[in-house]
Amino acid sequence: MNNSKEKVVWYKRFPHIYVILLAIIFLSAILTWIIPAGEFLRTDIPGTTRKVIVPNTYKIIESSGASLFDIFKAIPIGMRMSADIIFLILISSGTFKIIQSTGAIENALGVFLNKVNKIKNGGIITIWVTTFIFSSIGIIVGPEIQIPFTLIGVSIALGLGYDLIVGLAMVMAAGGIGFATAPINMSTIGTAGIIGGLPLFSGAGLRSVYWFVSTCVVAGYISWYAINIKKFPEKSLVKDVNLQDLTLNKKLSEYSISRKDIKVLMTLLGIFIMLIVGPLKFNWYLIEVSATFLIGGIVAGFVGGYNINKTIDIFVKGAGEMMMAAFIVGLGRAIQVILEDGRIMDTIIHILSEPLQRFGPISAGILMTFVHGVINIFIPSGSGQAAATMPIMFPLGDILGMTRQTSILAFQIGDGITNIIYPTLGSVMAMCAIARVSFEKWVKFALKLVLLLYITGWIFLVIAIKINWGPF
């Protein structure tokens, strides 16, 4: 009998994601007692919905350390502040459950995968196409709106013989990098550009190249992992996860698409189109997107042949299955509540930005990306971080010989790339939960990708500094 203990690798020793988030909440509360409270003066800038920092106005104020009761209050407050995202998760999941229950998605995937698997390198081609689709969508909408499509990515990956992480990455990493490097994004580029006094979405040429190259890096990395785990399935990080209800139920050759399936799929396509048209043309966001999913769920139930009672029963079941993901979003927001109420957010920004004045433009530019990356833990909102940091970073960049366009690029790199792995971003945790990929296993997969994306961003940053990248 072998009494030796099996060595447990580090990513299997992680606690439940709720425990991780609660630990971060408690740590944030402790920081409110250690880090001095402080604040900058703030002012309005036309064209933005947030107050922005006035540089050189930081001052120490009376500390406001979080009590034990404040910690637990922060959780329901975080839930309330995240209500739009939480309802989107629940409503969209209910709608997808209706669409999924009709069998239309499974039949369509079966037919599609049957054809793709007959093509040489069809799986890798599919990864690249899917990655670019979701990255393109990420240019227009935030990662929260892509949450419902996680299951489709997972189903495609499993049908191609890959694993859950491949499916998750094709949606989350691709959508995340699309949002991070978007040449036209009102939340990040738009807000930062307005604060810097630049023409709206100027500099889109170099940023478009940056987006394309970064998306290629994501697709290439996913492909590398997919090829590796297909050759050596034991190397899959999620090889022991239960795949019940995620895999196809029949042989690929047995699938066909009926007239009813086409109607349901057209409903899904209609939802997909409105998720792009709505934000672009009508300035939609989470509330309007949730309403679109509600309408789509009702229509899918009708064309799928369900009566109203059955439609509601399926919808409620689907929403209920996502309660864990919904609560994760609220817990992540509670961290920001603690830091804001403790009045230490401005102190963190002040401490991190001060040393940058001692470096040359290239070194300072690279360090700016790290500063934004650290601040992104505490302010995961792109527009929120732009309002909080860019009024400081622009003058610093001016002093160091960096154009304002380059300062925005440093902001893009630091703010956006880290979104892929930070637990404080609700969509990351929600999508991991939907894909049944534990957060620690996702981090193990994504850390190298984040490093590659940082290197890619730094190359473009150096190019921008060398060419003295101007407004256009």
Side-chain angles (χ1 to χ4, degrees):
M1 182 176 178
N2 186 5
N3 293 321
S4 62
K5 292 183 178 179
E6 182 182 354
K7 184 179 179 182
V8 181
V9 291
W10 68 270
Y11 60 84
K12 290 185 178 180
R13 295 196 295 264
F14 269 64
H16 192 284
I17 186 56
Y18 281 4
V19 176
I20 295 173
L21 289 174
L22 285 170
I24 297 175
I25 292 172
F26 273 87
L27 176 61
S28 300
I30 293 170
L31 290 176
T32 64
W33 291 94
I34 297 173
I35 298 175
E39 66 178 8
F40 289 95
L41 293 179
R42 282 171 165 76
T43 186
D44 294 313
I45 287 187
T48 68
T49 59
R50 296 175 179 266
K51 289 185 178 296
V52 296
I53 281 175
V54 178
N56 302 317
T57 60
Y58 174 80
K59 64 179 180 180
I60 299 291
I61 60 174
E62 185 179 351
S63 291
S64 181
S67 68
L68 183 62
F69 192 58
D70 289 335
I71 293 172
F72 290 99
K73 276 174 56 182
I75 295 172
I77 292 173
M79 297 283 184
R80 184 187 67 196
M81 294 175 68
S82 304
D84 292 356
I85 301 176
I86 289 172
F87 288 136
L88 171 62
I89 292 172
L90 298 179
I91 290 170
S92 62
S93 298
T95 293
F96 259 89
K97 191 70 174 181
I98 294 169
I99 295 172
Q100 190 179 34
S101 69
T102 66
I105 292 179
E106 180 175 345
N107 290 335
L109 285 174
V111 171
F112 168 75
L113 293 170
N114 188 37
K115 293 181 178 180
V116 166
N117 284 332
K118 295 177 181 177
I119 302 173
K120 186 179 180 180
N121 297 320
I124 299 303
I125 293 171
T126 302
I127 288 174
W128 277 75
V129 170
T130 306
T131 299
F132 264 89
I133 287 173
F134 282 102
S135 181
S136 299
I137 296 170
I139 293 175
I140 303 164
V141 298
E144 299 90 353
I145 295 175
Q146 298 197 33
I147 291 172
F149 297 97
T150 306
L151 281 177
I152 292 181
V154 166
S155 297
I156 292 173
L158 294 179
L160 292 170
Y162 304 129
D163 68 4
L164 297 169
I165 284 182
V166 172
L168 176 60
M170 287 192 297
V171 180
M172 185 161 72
I177 202 61
F179 186 80
T181 61
I184 49 168
N185 184 314
M186 194 59 219
S187 177
T188 54
I189 300 302
T191 302
I194 290 170
I195 293 169
L198 297 173
L200 190 63
F201 303 141
S202 58
L206 183 61
R207 286 198 179 88
S208 295
V209 178
Y210 175 42
W211 164 79
F212 178 81
V213 173
S214 296
T215 305
C216 286
V217 170
V218 173
Y221 185 78
I222 298 171
S223 299
W224 167 79
Y225 175 82
I227 292 170
N228 198 33
I229 58 118
K230 200 160 190 177
K231 286 183 179 177
F232 310 102
E234 69 278 2
K235 291 188 177 182
S236 169
L237 298 174
V238 288
K239 57 182 178 294
D240 299 325
V241 177
N242 182 7
L243 302 179
Q244 186 177 355
D245 299 327
L246 293 178
T247 56
L248 300 181
N249 297 312
K250 298 184 291 186
K251 293 180 180 179
L252 294 180
S253 59
E254 297 176 359
Y255 282 100
S256 61
I257 301 177
S258 67
R259 186 172 296 180
K260 183 190 77 173
D261 292 335
I262 293 175
K263 293 178 182 178
V264 175
L265 292 170
M266 290 301 293
T267 303
L268 178 60
L269 179 62
I271 295 172
F272 199 77
I273 290 172
M274 291 312 299
L275 294 187
I276 298 173
V277 174
L280 273 179
K281 191 171 180 63
F282 306 111
N283 202 30
W284 284 6
Y285 198 46
L286 300 177
I287 294 294
E288 293 82 4
V289 169
S290 294
T292 301
F293 273 108
L294 269 177
I295 296 169
I298 294 169
V299 173
F302 175 76
V303 300
Y306 297 151
N307 60 39
I308 190 64
N309 287 340
K310 186 171 183 180
T311 299
I312 292 173
D313 286 342
I314 297 172
F315 179 89
V316 171
K317 182 180 178 183
E321 290 173 353
M322 289 298 110
M323 285 303 297
M324 177 181 172
F327 271 88
I328 283 171
V329 173
L331 284 171
R333 189 60 178 268
I335 298 165
Q336 190 174 343
V337 172
I338 290 286
L339 295 171
E340 287 176 349
D341 289 350
R343 311 293 293 276
I344 65 172
M345 200 81 80
D346 284 5
T347 302
I348 293 171
I349 294 169
H350 175 71
I351 291 171
L352 290 173
S353 60
E354 278 287 297
L356 294 176
Q357 301 177 58
R358 305 187 186 102
F359 295 90
I362 292 178
S363 299
I366 292 173
L367 285 173
M368 272 186 186
T369 65
F370 283 115
V371 169
H372 284 297
V374 173
I375 293 173
N376 196 39
I377 299 173
F378 309 106
I379 312 177
S381 164
S383 58
Q385 186 178 161
T389 62
M390 295 315 294
I392 295 174
M393 295 302 181
F394 281 136
L396 278 175
D398 293 344
I399 293 170
L400 295 167
M402 290 171 56
T403 65
R404 297 205 160 190
Q405 206 68 268
T406 305
S407 293
I408 295 177
L409 181 59
F411 161 65
Q412 270 188 286
I413 296 166
D415 166 69
I417 294 173
T418 51
N419 281 338
I420 298 173
I421 57 170
Y422 277 174
T424 49
L425 192 71
S427 60
V428 169
M429 311 311 295
M431 294 168 91
C432 282
I434 291 169
R436 301 182 193 174
V437 175
S438 63
F439 175 66
E440 62 272 16
K441 291 179 181 178
W442 169 253
V443 170
K444 181 176 174 61
F445 164 82
L447 270 177
K448 291 178 183 177
L449 174 59
V450 168
L451 177 59
L452 289 172
L453 290 170
Y454 257 107
I455 293 171
T456 303
W458 292 336
I459 292 171
F460 276 88
L461 190 65
V462 171
I463 292 171
I465 292 171
K466 289 293 186 182
I467 67 174
N468 199 33
W469 188 27
F472 304 98

